[in-house]
mmCIF file of all heavy atoms in Angstrom:
data_model
loop_
_atom_site.group_PDB
_atom_site.id
_atom_site.type_symbol
_atom_site.label_atom_id
_atom_site.label_comp_id
_atom_site.label_asym_id
_atom_site.label_seq_id
_atom_site.Cartn_x
_atom_site.Cartn_y
_atom_site.Cartn_z
ATOM 1 N N PHE P 1 -61.590 10.947 -17.921
ATOM 2 C CA PHE P 1 -61.315 11.538 -16.627
ATOM 3 C C PHE P 1 -61.451 13.048 -16.692
ATOM 4 O O PHE P 1 -60.999 13.689 -17.636
ATOM 5 C CB PHE P 1 -59.893 11.206 -16.159
ATOM 6 C CG PHE P 1 -59.748 9.786 -15.743
ATOM 7 C CD1 PHE P 1 -59.155 8.858 -16.580
ATOM 8 C CD2 PHE P 1 -60.223 9.361 -14.525
ATOM 9 C CE1 PHE P 1 -59.030 7.550 -16.199
ATOM 10 C CE2 PHE P 1 -60.099 8.052 -14.130
ATOM 11 C CZ PHE P 1 -59.499 7.144 -14.975
ATOM 12 N N SER P 2 -62.062 13.606 -15.681
ATOM 13 C CA SER P 2 -62.050 15.050 -15.539
ATOM 14 C C SER P 2 -60.662 15.488 -15.110
ATOM 15 O O SER P 2 -59.915 14.732 -14.501
ATOM 16 C CB SER P 2 -63.071 15.470 -14.472
ATOM 17 O OG SER P 2 -62.858 16.797 -14.080
ATOM 18 N N THR P 3 -60.310 16.744 -15.390
ATOM 19 C CA THR P 3 -59.024 17.244 -14.938
ATOM 20 C C THR P 3 -59.053 17.567 -13.452
ATOM 21 O O THR P 3 -58.016 17.829 -12.859
ATOM 22 C CB THR P 3 -58.627 18.506 -15.711
ATOM 23 O OG1 THR P 3 -59.660 19.480 -15.594
ATOM 24 C CG2 THR P 3 -58.401 18.173 -17.187
ATOM 25 N N ALA P 4 -60.225 17.559 -12.844
ATOM 26 C CA ALA P 4 -60.330 17.761 -11.398
ATOM 27 C C ALA P 4 -60.536 16.406 -10.748
ATOM 28 O O ALA P 4 -61.464 15.695 -11.055
ATOM 29 C CB ALA P 4 -61.502 18.683 -11.065
ATOM 30 N N PHE P 5 -59.672 16.041 -9.808
ATOM 31 C CA PHE P 5 -59.721 14.702 -9.240
ATOM 32 C C PHE P 5 -60.160 14.675 -7.786
ATOM 33 O O PHE P 5 -60.208 13.621 -7.184
ATOM 34 C CB PHE P 5 -58.337 14.044 -9.346
ATOM 35 C CG PHE P 5 -58.034 13.575 -10.722
ATOM 36 C CD1 PHE P 5 -57.379 14.412 -11.599
ATOM 37 C CD2 PHE P 5 -58.407 12.318 -11.148
ATOM 38 C CE1 PHE P 5 -57.094 13.992 -12.886
ATOM 39 C CE2 PHE P 5 -58.119 11.902 -12.427
ATOM 40 C CZ PHE P 5 -57.469 12.741 -13.292
ATOM 41 N N ILE P 6 -60.411 15.814 -7.160
ATOM 42 C CA ILE P 6 -60.689 15.809 -5.733
ATOM 43 C C ILE P 6 -62.139 16.208 -5.500
ATOM 44 O O ILE P 6 -62.546 17.298 -5.849
ATOM 45 C CB ILE P 6 -59.780 16.805 -4.993
ATOM 46 C CG1 ILE P 6 -58.322 16.527 -5.355
ATOM 47 C CG2 ILE P 6 -59.985 16.734 -3.498
ATOM 48 C CD1 ILE P 6 -57.848 15.127 -5.020
ATOM 49 N N PRO P 7 -62.995 15.343 -4.893
ATOM 50 C CA PRO P 7 -62.610 13.989 -4.512
ATOM 51 C C PRO P 7 -62.577 13.069 -5.725
ATOM 52 O O PRO P 7 -63.433 13.132 -6.575
ATOM 53 C CB PRO P 7 -63.687 13.572 -3.525
ATOM 54 C CG PRO P 7 -64.882 14.357 -3.969
ATOM 55 C CD PRO P 7 -64.364 15.673 -4.491
ATOM 56 N N PHE P 8 -61.609 12.188 -5.780
ATOM 57 C CA PHE P 8 -61.377 11.335 -6.949
ATOM 58 C C PHE P 8 -62.597 10.487 -7.293
ATOM 59 O O PHE P 8 -63.009 10.417 -8.443
ATOM 60 C CB PHE P 8 -60.165 10.445 -6.676
ATOM 61 C CG PHE P 8 -59.992 9.317 -7.663
ATOM 62 C CD1 PHE P 8 -59.706 9.595 -8.983
ATOM 63 C CD2 PHE P 8 -60.091 8.002 -7.259
ATOM 64 C CE1 PHE P 8 -59.520 8.570 -9.894
ATOM 65 C CE2 PHE P 8 -59.906 6.979 -8.163
ATOM 66 C CZ PHE P 8 -59.626 7.264 -9.478
ATOM 67 N N LEU P 9 -63.192 9.862 -6.304
ATOM 68 C CA LEU P 9 -64.302 8.967 -6.605
ATOM 69 C C LEU P 9 -65.474 9.727 -7.182
ATOM 70 O O LEU P 9 -66.157 9.256 -8.076
ATOM 71 C CB LEU P 9 -64.733 8.221 -5.343
ATOM 72 C CG LEU P 9 -63.779 7.147 -4.857
ATOM 73 C CD1 LEU P 9 -64.295 6.542 -3.576
ATOM 74 C CD2 LEU P 9 -63.603 6.079 -5.907
ATOM 75 N N CYS P 10 -65.720 10.911 -6.667
ATOM 76 C CA CYS P 10 -66.858 11.699 -7.142
ATOM 77 C C CYS P 10 -66.684 12.075 -8.596
ATOM 78 O O CYS P 10 -67.633 12.065 -9.371
ATOM 79 C CB CYS P 10 -66.998 12.954 -6.289
ATOM 80 S SG CYS P 10 -68.404 13.995 -6.760
ATOM 81 N N ILE P 11 -65.455 12.404 -8.989
ATOM 82 C CA ILE P 11 -65.221 12.873 -10.345
ATOM 83 C C ILE P 11 -64.894 11.723 -11.285
ATOM 84 O O ILE P 11 -65.527 11.534 -12.316
ATOM 85 C CB ILE P 11 -64.072 13.899 -10.362
ATOM 86 C CG1 ILE P 11 -64.430 15.095 -9.480
ATOM 87 C CG2 ILE P 11 -63.786 14.372 -11.784
ATOM 88 C CD1 ILE P 11 -65.657 15.849 -9.911
ATOM 89 N N ALA P 12 -63.889 10.930 -10.931
ATOM 90 C CA ALA P 12 -63.349 9.963 -11.884
ATOM 91 C C ALA P 12 -64.110 8.651 -11.925
ATOM 92 O O ALA P 12 -64.115 7.989 -12.945
ATOM 93 C CB ALA P 12 -61.881 9.679 -11.566
ATOM 94 N N LEU P 13 -64.762 8.280 -10.817
ATOM 95 C CA LEU P 13 -65.411 6.977 -10.794
ATOM 96 C C LEU P 13 -66.925 7.049 -10.934
ATOM 97 O O LEU P 13 -67.527 6.163 -11.509
ATOM 98 C CB LEU P 13 -65.063 6.237 -9.502
ATOM 99 C CG LEU P 13 -63.623 5.746 -9.393
ATOM 100 C CD1 LEU P 13 -63.452 4.956 -8.119
ATOM 101 C CD2 LEU P 13 -63.226 4.907 -10.583
ATOM 102 N N THR P 14 -67.554 8.095 -10.433
ATOM 103 C CA THR P 14 -69.011 8.099 -10.460
ATOM 104 C C THR P 14 -69.594 9.174 -11.344
ATOM 105 O O THR P 14 -70.796 9.206 -11.549
ATOM 106 C CB THR P 14 -69.576 8.288 -9.034
ATOM 107 O OG1 THR P 14 -69.157 9.552 -8.531
ATOM 108 C CG2 THR P 14 -69.106 7.187 -8.131
ATOM 109 N N ALA P 15 -68.764 10.058 -11.882
ATOM 110 C CA ALA P 15 -69.301 11.136 -12.706
ATOM 111 C C ALA P 15 -68.628 11.211 -14.060
ATOM 112 O O ALA P 15 -68.585 12.256 -14.675
ATOM 113 C CB ALA P 15 -69.145 12.474 -11.972
ATOM 114 N N CYS P 16 -68.131 10.080 -14.538
ATOM 115 C CA CYS P 16 -67.438 10.071 -15.820
ATOM 116 C C CYS P 16 -68.400 9.725 -16.933
ATOM 117 O O CYS P 16 -69.550 9.386 -16.706
ATOM 118 C CB CYS P 16 -66.303 9.052 -15.797
ATOM 119 S SG CYS P 16 -65.074 9.360 -14.542
ATOM 120 N N GLY P 17 -67.873 9.767 -18.160
ATOM 121 C CA GLY P 17 -68.670 9.411 -19.314
ATOM 122 C C GLY P 17 -68.895 7.915 -19.376
ATOM 123 O O GLY P 17 -68.390 7.139 -18.571
ATOM 124 N N THR P 18 -69.647 7.489 -20.358
ATOM 125 C CA THR P 18 -69.944 6.071 -20.523
ATOM 126 C C THR P 18 -68.715 5.330 -20.987
ATOM 127 O O THR P 18 -68.026 5.752 -21.894
ATOM 128 C CB THR P 18 -71.070 5.886 -21.548
ATOM 129 O OG1 THR P 18 -72.206 6.623 -21.103
ATOM 130 C CG2 THR P 18 -71.428 4.425 -21.710
ATOM 131 N N ALA P 19 -68.466 4.199 -20.382
ATOM 132 C CA ALA P 19 -67.287 3.426 -20.756
ATOM 133 C C ALA P 19 -67.508 2.750 -22.098
ATOM 134 O O ALA P 19 -68.617 2.364 -22.448
ATOM 135 C CB ALA P 19 -66.986 2.360 -19.705
ATOM 136 N N GLY P 20 -66.390 2.583 -22.809
ATOM 137 C CA GLY P 20 -66.451 1.913 -24.101
ATOM 138 C C GLY P 20 -65.794 0.557 -24.038
ATOM 139 O O GLY P 20 -65.765 -0.089 -22.999
ATOM 140 N N ASP P 21 -65.244 0.139 -25.183
ATOM 141 C CA ASP P 21 -64.668 -1.200 -25.248
ATOM 142 C C ASP P 21 -63.173 -1.195 -25.075
ATOM 143 O O ASP P 21 -62.509 -2.193 -25.303
ATOM 144 C CB ASP P 21 -65.030 -1.857 -26.585
ATOM 145 C CG ASP P 21 -64.502 -1.060 -27.773
ATOM 146 O OD1 ASP P 21 -63.821 -0.050 -27.555
ATOM 147 O OD2 ASP P 21 -64.790 -1.475 -28.918
ATOM 148 N N GLY P 22 -62.590 -0.063 -24.653
ATOM 149 C CA GLY P 22 -61.165 0.014 -24.427
ATOM 150 C C GLY P 22 -60.378 0.322 -25.684
ATOM 151 O O GLY P 22 -59.194 0.579 -25.615
ATOM 152 N N ASN P 23 -61.027 0.352 -26.850
ATOM 153 C CA ASN P 23 -60.322 0.631 -28.090
ATOM 154 C C ASN P 23 -60.755 2.005 -28.589
ATOM 155 O O ASN P 23 -61.602 2.137 -29.452
ATOM 156 C CB ASN P 23 -60.649 -0.440 -29.125
ATOM 157 C CG ASN P 23 -59.861 -0.234 -30.406
ATOM 158 O OD1 ASN P 23 -58.900 0.525 -30.420
ATOM 159 N ND2 ASN P 23 -60.281 -0.912 -31.453
ATOM 160 N N ASN P 24 -60.189 3.046 -27.993
ATOM 161 C CA ASN P 24 -60.646 4.389 -28.302
ATOM 162 C C ASN P 24 -59.624 5.149 -29.116
ATOM 163 O O ASN P 24 -59.572 6.352 -29.092
ATOM 164 C CB ASN P 24 -60.955 5.145 -27.006
ATOM 165 C CG ASN P 24 -59.749 5.241 -26.122
ATOM 166 O OD1 ASN P 24 -59.004 4.282 -25.994
ATOM 167 N ND2 ASN P 24 -59.534 6.388 -25.503
ATOM 168 N N GLY P 25 -58.764 4.478 -29.840
ATOM 169 C CA GLY P 25 -57.943 5.144 -30.803
ATOM 170 C C GLY P 25 -56.500 5.219 -30.454
ATOM 171 O O GLY P 25 -55.758 5.869 -31.135
ATOM 172 N N GLY P 26 -56.073 4.552 -29.421
ATOM 173 C CA GLY P 26 -54.665 4.559 -29.440
ATOM 174 C C GLY P 26 -53.898 4.348 -28.187
ATOM 175 O O GLY P 26 -53.575 5.300 -27.530
ATOM 176 N N VAL P 27 -53.607 3.130 -27.857
ATOM 177 C CA VAL P 27 -52.583 2.837 -26.861
ATOM 178 C C VAL P 27 -51.313 2.517 -27.620
ATOM 179 O O VAL P 27 -51.297 1.656 -28.488
ATOM 180 C CB VAL P 27 -52.979 1.643 -25.973
ATOM 181 C CG1 VAL P 27 -51.868 1.323 -24.998
ATOM 182 C CG2 VAL P 27 -54.263 1.934 -25.232
ATOM 183 N N THR P 28 -50.258 3.252 -27.308
ATOM 184 C CA THR P 28 -48.993 3.038 -28.030
ATOM 185 C C THR P 28 -48.285 1.819 -27.448
ATOM 186 O O THR P 28 -47.253 1.914 -26.813
ATOM 187 C CB THR P 28 -48.090 4.274 -27.936
ATOM 188 O OG1 THR P 28 -47.882 4.595 -26.545
ATOM 189 C CG2 THR P 28 -48.719 5.452 -28.621
ATOM 190 N N GLY P 29 -48.876 0.653 -27.649
ATOM 191 C CA GLY P 29 -48.374 -0.577 -27.047
ATOM 192 C C GLY P 29 -49.124 -0.856 -25.768
ATOM 193 O O GLY P 29 -49.557 0.046 -25.070
ATOM 194 N N GLY P 30 -49.322 -2.127 -25.452
ATOM 195 C CA GLY P 30 -49.956 -2.485 -24.187
ATOM 196 C C GLY P 30 -51.458 -2.306 -24.175
ATOM 197 O O GLY P 30 -52.020 -1.986 -23.135
ATOM 198 N N GLN P 31 -52.143 -2.505 -25.315
ATOM 199 C CA GLN P 31 -53.596 -2.361 -25.337
ATOM 200 C C GLN P 31 -54.257 -3.317 -24.352
ATOM 201 O O GLN P 31 -55.200 -2.952 -23.652
ATOM 202 C CB GLN P 31 -54.131 -2.602 -26.741
ATOM 203 C CG GLN P 31 -55.664 -2.488 -26.860
ATOM 204 C CD GLN P 31 -56.161 -1.086 -26.666
ATOM 205 O OE1 GLN P 31 -55.761 -0.188 -27.395
ATOM 206 N NE2 GLN P 31 -57.016 -0.876 -25.682
ATOM 207 N N GLY P 32 -53.761 -4.554 -24.287
ATOM 208 C CA GLY P 32 -54.338 -5.514 -23.354
ATOM 209 C C GLY P 32 -54.207 -5.066 -21.921
ATOM 210 O O GLY P 32 -55.131 -5.241 -21.114
ATOM 211 N N ASP P 33 -53.069 -4.474 -21.566
ATOM 212 C CA ASP P 33 -52.880 -3.982 -20.211
ATOM 213 C C ASP P 33 -53.836 -2.832 -19.911
ATOM 214 O O ASP P 33 -54.368 -2.723 -18.800
ATOM 215 C CB ASP P 33 -51.437 -3.509 -20.009
ATOM 216 C CG ASP P 33 -50.452 -4.659 -20.029
ATOM 217 O OD1 ASP P 33 -50.859 -5.796 -19.733
ATOM 218 O OD2 ASP P 33 -49.273 -4.424 -20.348
ATOM 219 N N PHE P 34 -54.053 -1.964 -20.899
ATOM 220 C CA PHE P 34 -54.976 -0.846 -20.674
ATOM 221 C C PHE P 34 -56.407 -1.356 -20.533
ATOM 222 O O PHE P 34 -57.180 -0.845 -19.719
ATOM 223 C CB PHE P 34 -54.885 0.174 -21.808
ATOM 224 C CG PHE P 34 -55.620 1.455 -21.505
ATOM 225 C CD1 PHE P 34 -55.056 2.411 -20.679
ATOM 226 C CD2 PHE P 34 -56.883 1.689 -22.024
ATOM 227 C CE1 PHE P 34 -55.730 3.583 -20.370
ATOM 228 C CE2 PHE P 34 -57.571 2.860 -21.729
ATOM 229 C CZ PHE P 34 -56.984 3.809 -20.904
ATOM 230 N N ASN P 35 -56.772 -2.372 -21.325
ATOM 231 C CA ASN P 35 -58.099 -2.963 -21.177
ATOM 232 C C ASN P 35 -58.289 -3.544 -19.786
ATOM 233 O O ASN P 35 -59.369 -3.438 -19.193
ATOM 234 C CB ASN P 35 -58.310 -4.052 -22.230
ATOM 235 C CG ASN P 35 -58.409 -3.493 -23.640
ATOM 236 O OD1 ASN P 35 -58.562 -2.296 -23.824
ATOM 237 N ND2 ASN P 35 -58.303 -4.359 -24.632
ATOM 238 N N GLN P 36 -57.228 -4.168 -19.235
ATOM 239 C CA GLN P 36 -57.301 -4.711 -17.882
ATOM 240 C C GLN P 36 -57.514 -3.602 -16.866
ATOM 241 O O GLN P 36 -58.310 -3.732 -15.937
ATOM 242 C CB GLN P 36 -56.018 -5.471 -17.553
ATOM 243 C CG GLN P 36 -55.998 -6.078 -16.152
ATOM 244 C CD GLN P 36 -57.093 -7.108 -15.953
ATOM 245 O OE1 GLN P 36 -57.226 -8.031 -16.754
ATOM 246 N NE2 GLN P 36 -57.884 -6.959 -14.902
ATOM 247 N N TYR P 37 -56.802 -2.486 -17.063
ATOM 248 C CA TYR P 37 -56.999 -1.329 -16.185
ATOM 249 C C TYR P 37 -58.443 -0.849 -16.254
ATOM 250 O O TYR P 37 -59.069 -0.559 -15.226
ATOM 251 C CB TYR P 37 -56.041 -0.201 -16.582
ATOM 252 C CG TYR P 37 -56.520 1.163 -16.154
ATOM 253 C CD1 TYR P 37 -56.493 1.552 -14.813
ATOM 254 C CD2 TYR P 37 -57.030 2.061 -17.088
ATOM 255 C CE1 TYR P 37 -56.954 2.790 -14.419
ATOM 256 C CE2 TYR P 37 -57.498 3.300 -16.701
ATOM 257 C CZ TYR P 37 -57.465 3.665 -15.376
ATOM 258 O OH TYR P 37 -57.935 4.888 -14.988
ATOM 259 N N GLU P 38 -59.001 -0.752 -17.473
ATOM 260 C CA GLU P 38 -60.370 -0.271 -17.613
ATOM 261 C C GLU P 38 -61.372 -1.214 -16.957
ATOM 262 O O GLU P 38 -62.362 -0.767 -16.377
ATOM 263 C CB GLU P 38 -60.709 -0.085 -19.089
ATOM 264 C CG GLU P 38 -60.110 1.175 -19.700
ATOM 265 C CD GLU P 38 -60.831 1.590 -20.962
ATOM 266 O OE1 GLU P 38 -61.089 0.706 -21.811
ATOM 267 O OE2 GLU P 38 -61.134 2.783 -21.091
ATOM 268 N N GLU P 39 -61.111 -2.513 -17.036
ATOM 269 C CA GLU P 39 -61.994 -3.472 -16.364
ATOM 270 C C GLU P 39 -61.973 -3.245 -14.855
ATOM 271 O O GLU P 39 -63.017 -3.287 -14.190
ATOM 272 C CB GLU P 39 -61.567 -4.898 -16.702
ATOM 273 C CG GLU P 39 -61.827 -5.317 -18.133
ATOM 274 C CD GLU P 39 -61.367 -6.731 -18.420
ATOM 275 O OE1 GLU P 39 -61.037 -7.444 -17.450
ATOM 276 O OE2 GLU P 39 -61.344 -7.124 -19.605
ATOM 277 N N ASN P 40 -60.785 -3.024 -14.314
ATOM 278 C CA ASN P 40 -60.682 -2.763 -12.878
ATOM 279 C C ASN P 40 -61.336 -1.439 -12.511
ATOM 280 O O ASN P 40 -61.902 -1.297 -11.418
ATOM 281 C CB ASN P 40 -59.214 -2.764 -12.452
ATOM 282 C CG ASN P 40 -58.619 -4.159 -12.470
ATOM 283 O OD1 ASN P 40 -59.322 -5.138 -12.283
ATOM 284 N ND2 ASN P 40 -57.311 -4.255 -12.706
ATOM 285 N N LEU P 41 -61.248 -0.461 -13.410
ATOM 286 C CA LEU P 41 -61.913 0.814 -13.168
ATOM 287 C C LEU P 41 -63.420 0.639 -13.096
ATOM 288 O O LEU P 41 -64.092 1.208 -12.228
ATOM 289 C CB LEU P 41 -61.535 1.807 -14.271
ATOM 290 C CG LEU P 41 -62.228 3.172 -14.236
ATOM 291 C CD1 LEU P 41 -61.888 3.918 -12.944
ATOM 292 C CD2 LEU P 41 -61.832 4.012 -15.447
ATOM 293 N N GLU P 42 -63.966 -0.179 -14.006
ATOM 294 C CA GLU P 42 -65.398 -0.434 -13.999
ATOM 295 C C GLU P 42 -65.843 -1.102 -12.700
ATOM 296 O O GLU P 42 -66.851 -0.730 -12.098
ATOM 297 C CB GLU P 42 -65.774 -1.316 -15.194
ATOM 298 C CG GLU P 42 -65.664 -0.637 -16.537
ATOM 299 C CD GLU P 42 -66.693 0.457 -16.713
ATOM 300 O OE1 GLU P 42 -67.768 0.376 -16.100
ATOM 301 O OE2 GLU P 42 -66.415 1.399 -17.470
ATOM 302 N N THR P 43 -65.080 -2.105 -12.269
ATOM 303 C CA THR P 43 -65.419 -2.801 -11.027
ATOM 304 C C THR P 43 -65.343 -1.848 -9.841
ATOM 305 O O THR P 43 -66.231 -1.836 -8.978
ATOM 306 C CB THR P 43 -64.463 -3.986 -10.802
ATOM 307 O OG1 THR P 43 -64.573 -4.893 -11.893
ATOM 308 C CG2 THR P 43 -64.806 -4.718 -9.511
ATOM 309 N N ALA P 44 -64.280 -1.043 -9.800
ATOM 310 C CA ALA P 44 -64.131 -0.084 -8.708
ATOM 311 C C ALA P 44 -65.285 0.898 -8.684
ATOM 312 O O ALA P 44 -65.799 1.259 -7.611
ATOM 313 C CB ALA P 44 -62.796 0.659 -8.840
ATOM 314 N N ALA P 45 -65.726 1.352 -9.865
ATOM 315 C CA ALA P 45 -66.837 2.297 -9.934
ATOM 316 C C ALA P 45 -68.118 1.674 -9.403
ATOM 317 O O ALA P 45 -68.888 2.319 -8.683
ATOM 318 C CB ALA P 45 -67.022 2.775 -11.368
ATOM 319 N N ASP P 46 -68.356 0.404 -9.749
ATOM 320 C CA ASP P 46 -69.562 -0.275 -9.278
ATOM 321 C C ASP P 46 -69.543 -0.428 -7.760
ATOM 322 O O ASP P 46 -70.559 -0.221 -7.087
ATOM 323 C CB ASP P 46 -69.681 -1.650 -9.941
ATOM 324 C CG ASP P 46 -69.996 -1.551 -11.434
ATOM 325 O OD1 ASP P 46 -70.484 -0.486 -11.866
ATOM 326 O OD2 ASP P 46 -69.740 -2.533 -12.153
#
């Protein structure tokens, strides 16, 4: 995510880096929940 969110879709959904596999070095618990969030982010971006 960019630190600038306005407009959110322009920055966070359509101008972000390439998505990975959700295992980027560290969810302190709840990795599965974060992966679910990332899946929803991908769908929302599409």
Side-chain angles (χ1 to χ4, degrees):
F1 287 102
S2 166
T3 55
F5 284 92
I6 307 301
F8 168 66
L9 288 177
C10 181
I11 300 299
L13 289 184
T14 62
C16 300
T18 303
D21 60 3
N23 184 15
N24 59 319
V27 177
T28 56
Q31 179 68 58
D33 291 335
F34 190 79
N35 291 347
Q36 180 62 52
Y37 157 73
E38 283 200 314
E39 290 179 11
N40 288 332
L41 176 62
E42 290 292 332
T43 300
D46 291 340

